[in-house]
Amino acid sequence: MGGRTTRQRKAVTRALAGCQDFVSAQDLYALLVAGDHAIGLTTVYRALRELEADGGVDVVRDETGGRLYRLRPADGHRHYLMCRDCGRSRPVDSEVVEEWAGRIAAATGFTAVEHTVELTGVCADCLPGAEGGRPSGDEGEEPLCHWDRAQAPRDPVRSCAS
């Protein structure tokens, strides 16, 4: 990984690891400060930028273009289906998209091809008449993220992972 592994970058990485869904830099900062970490918002942004450059996070954009972050799994970047109502994300099998992008690159002679895939919908728990509201994960589990998702904007997001 590029960049120095500072105490602050480790704290950002640990906080991201505790979040099941995508989180904004501002919400991640609030989570860190609430956990008594001495860190500035600029430092959070810098750490996220470095993690993105190193391939350590997946990034999606909300409706206003704001960036949301999630720790990238060890097996590489993924695409996500995002709930337009609550923001819950679920990784989806996107091998066909990756293969298609590779074929396009090879056929055109382009290199370093990046792509954007947007998959949004409304999860079963947000459908009108659904009981119980948004789940926090597996049945009976508390959410791993310690910030209140209900206070976050309920905007659509789109995948910009490449």
Side-chain angles (χ1 to χ4, degrees):
M1 267 190 194
R4 283 188 357 209
T5 304
T6 63
R7 173 180 52 82
Q8 293 91 344
R9 184 169 171 174
K10 286 179 185 177
V12 167
T13 302
R14 277 193 306 274
L16 277 173
C19 293
Q20 291 180 339
D21 290 325
F22 286 88
V23 62
S24 71
Q26 295 89 351
D27 288 330
L28 190 60
Y29 167 73
L31 176 65
L32 287 161
V33 170
D36 292 328
H37 290 279
I39 193 167
L41 181 57
T42 302
T43 303
V44 171
Y45 274 108
R46 184 180 311 114
L48 289 169
R49 191 172 49 249
E50 290 172 0
L51 285 166
E52 182 180 2
D54 294 343
V57 293
D58 285 323
V59 182
V60 296
R61 292 193 182 265
D62 64 21
E63 186 175 71
T64 63
R67 299 168 70 80
L68 304 174
Y69 303 88
R70 183 177 186 172
L71 208 55
R72 181 172 286 177
D75 60 351
H77 94 89
R78 295 184 178 169
H79 293 283
Y80 295 86
L81 176 59
M82 307 288 296
C83 178
R84 287 189 299 266
D85 190 22
C86 69
R88 185 175 192 197
S89 62
R90 175 166 285 185
V92 296
D93 179 12
S94 59
E95 188 174 330
V96 67
V97 172
E98 304 302 328
E99 291 171 357
W100 173 78
R103 285 194 311 273
I104 295 296
T108 61
F110 278 64
T111 61
V113 171
E114 296 180 2
H115 57 275
T116 300
V117 175
E118 181 177 330
L119 296 171
T120 64
V122 179
C123 72
D125 291 314
C126 289
L127 287 174
E131 289 189 32
R134 183 178 173 273
S136 60
D138 290 330
E139 204 57 40
E141 286 185 14
E142 289 297 316
L144 294 177
C145 229
H146 303 295
W147 56 279
D148 186 357
R149 183 73 182 186
Q151 299 299 318
R154 295 164 69 96
D155 294 330
V157 292
R158 52 184 169 202
S159 175
C160 61
S162 56

